Amino acid sequence: AIPTQLGLLRQMSSYFYLSSNLLSLKIPTQLGQLRQMGSAFWLGSNSLSLAIPTQLGQLSQMGFDFRLYANLLSSTIPTELGNLVQMSSLFSLRSNSFSMAIPTELGRLVQMSSIFTLGSNLLSSAIPTQLGLLRQMSSYFYLSSNLLSLKIPTQLGQLRQMGSAFWLGSNSLSLAIPTQLGQLSQMGFDFRLYANLLSSTIPTELGNLVQMSSLFSLRSNSFSMAIPTELGRLVQMSSIFTLGSNLLSSAIPTQLG
């Protein structure tokens, strides 16, 4: 276990680095006393388990680099992490066993600009509409490989600074893609909605993602009807354009040539 006495290092402001070890058992609540921490709180790649202590929500000076990824952490993500309102980049809880819903309070991290990763967990229920408030996000919005369900919130169309790595693949998201995702017109590569339960037609508005150069993936869903001719506007695409394993019909648009 991490010694509880490390909570006495209350002057720590950056680089508390215990990552990539074999540390186990729960994260001590006493680490919430490191309230001067502003950057690089690293506990990732260990075997830490049980729930994240709510006391980590007291690290309200954190500006970037909060890493709890690749552990054995479980239970729900504490709502108190929504208190880390100064976070601007690299908030990573990926590759654990968190369950239940994504807390709506994470929508308070409005200064986040890159690397918001909750992927590869057991998170379920709907994607909170409040995540549409993370309007500074430009790369690595990563919710893939969970059990998220219901529709994609229209509010995610407000993430208009997104340039790369918009990942919602490998979930159980359903119904139609909201037309508002066509507002992500800065996307250059890595737009992943694959392996969900999405249906209806592919919205013509996705033809507005004219800066896409690689990895546009809608494969393995239940999209029906014709491929929109507007996808022929993605003229910068150089690799990985995948619409396979759907229910698409009618002719292949000549515009794809």
Side-chain angles (χ1 to χ4, degrees), residues 1-9 12 14-28 30-32 34 37 39-48 56 65-71:
I2 297 173
T4 59
Q5 292 84 350
L6 294 188
L8 298 174
L9 308 184
M12 286 294 301
S14 64
Y15 284 95
F16 183 81
Y17 179 23
L18 304 183
S19 290
S20 302
N21 281 294
L22 301 173
L23 297 168
S24 61
L25 303 179
K26 67 179 182 181
I27 298 171
Q30 290 83 353
L31 295 190
L34 308 183
M37 285 298 300
S39 63
F41 182 81
W42 291 359
L43 302 184
S45 293
N46 280 291
S47 295
L48 298 166
L56 293 194
D65 216 349
F66 181 82
R67 305 191 194 199
L68 301 184
Y69 66 84
N71 278 287

Side-chain angles (χ1 to χ4, degrees), residues 13 29-30 33 48 59 62 81 92-93 99 121 165 179 184 187 210 225:
S13 62
T29 59
Q30 290 83 353
Q33 297 171 9
L48 298 166
L59 307 183
M62 283 296 301
L81 293 187
S92 182
L93 306 184
S99 59
N121 280 289
T179 60
L184 307 183
M187 282 297 300
V210 294
M225 307 300 287

Side-chain angles (χ1 to χ4, degrees), residues 129-184:
T129 59
Q130 290 84 350
L131 294 188
L133 297 173
L134 308 185
R135 297 175 188 169
Q136 303 305 310
M137 284 295 299
S138 63
S139 64
Y140 284 96
F141 183 79
Y142 176 22
L143 304 184
S144 289
S145 302
N146 279 292
L147 303 172
L148 298 168
S149 61
L150 303 177
K151 66 180 181 178
I152 298 172
T154 60
Q155 290 83 353
L156 295 189
Q158 298 170 7
L159 308 183
R160 297 177 189 173
Q161 302 304 312
M162 284 299 299
S164 62
F166 182 81
W167 292 358
L168 303 185
S170 292
N171 280 290
S172 296
L173 299 167
S174 61
L175 302 177
I177 296 176
T179 60
Q180 288 83 353
L181 293 194
Q183 297 170 4
L184 307 183

Side-chain angles (χ1 to χ4, degrees), residues 31-242:
L31 295 190
Q33 297 171 9
L34 308 183
R35 297 178 189 174
Q36 302 304 312
M37 285 298 300
S39 63
F41 182 81
W42 291 359
L43 302 184
S45 293
N46 280 291
S47 295
L48 298 166
S49 61
L50 302 178
I52 296 176
T54 59
Q55 289 83 353
L56 293 194
Q58 297 170 5
L59 307 183
S60 57
Q61 300 303 307
M62 283 296 301
F64 66 94
D65 216 349
F66 181 82
R67 305 191 194 199
L68 301 184
Y69 66 84
N71 278 287
L72 303 173
L73 297 167
S74 59
S75 188
T76 57
I77 296 173
T79 60
E80 289 80 1
L81 293 187
N83 295 332
L84 309 187
V85 294
Q86 297 193 46
M87 285 295 301
S88 62
S89 68
L90 218 166
F91 178 87
S92 182
L93 306 184
R94 67 167 176 80
S95 303
N96 281 285
S97 295
F98 297 118
S99 59
M100 307 300 288
I102 297 171
T104 59
E105 288 80 1
L106 294 187
R108 298 178 61 204
L109 309 186
V110 295
Q111 296 190 51
M112 285 295 299
S113 63
S114 64
I115 316 180
F116 178 83
T117 68
L118 306 181
S120 299
N121 280 289
L122 300 170
L123 296 166
S124 59
S125 193
I127 297 172
T129 59
Q130 290 84 350
L131 294 188
L133 297 173
L134 308 185
R135 297 175 188 169
Q136 303 305 310
M137 284 295 299
S138 63
S139 64
Y140 284 96
F141 183 79
Y142 176 22
L143 304 184
S144 289
S145 302
N146 279 292
L147 303 172
L148 298 168
S149 61
L150 303 177
K151 66 180 181 178
I152 298 172
T154 60
Q155 290 83 353
L156 295 189
Q158 298 170 7
L159 308 183
R160 297 177 189 173
Q161 302 304 312
M162 284 299 299
S164 62
F166 182 81
W167 292 358
L168 303 185
S170 292
N171 280 290
S172 296
L173 299 167
S174 61
L175 302 177
I177 296 176
T179 60
Q180 288 83 353
L181 293 194
Q183 297 170 4
L184 307 183
S185 58
Q186 300 303 307
M187 282 297 300
F189 66 94
D190 216 349
F191 181 81
R192 306 192 194 196
L193 302 185
Y194 67 84
N196 277 288
L197 303 173
L198 297 167
S199 60
S200 189
T201 57
I202 296 173
T204 60
E205 288 80 1
L206 293 188
N208 295 333
L209 309 188
V210 294
Q211 297 193 45
M212 285 296 300
S213 62
S214 68
L215 219 165
F216 178 87
S217 183
L218 306 184
R219 68 168 175 80
S220 304
N221 280 285
S222 295
F223 297 118
S224 59
M225 307 300 287
I227 297 172
T229 59
E230 288 81 0
L231 294 187
R233 299 177 60 205
L234 309 187
V235 296
Q236 297 190 51
M237 285 296 298
S238 62
S239 64
I240 316 180
F241 179 83
T242 67

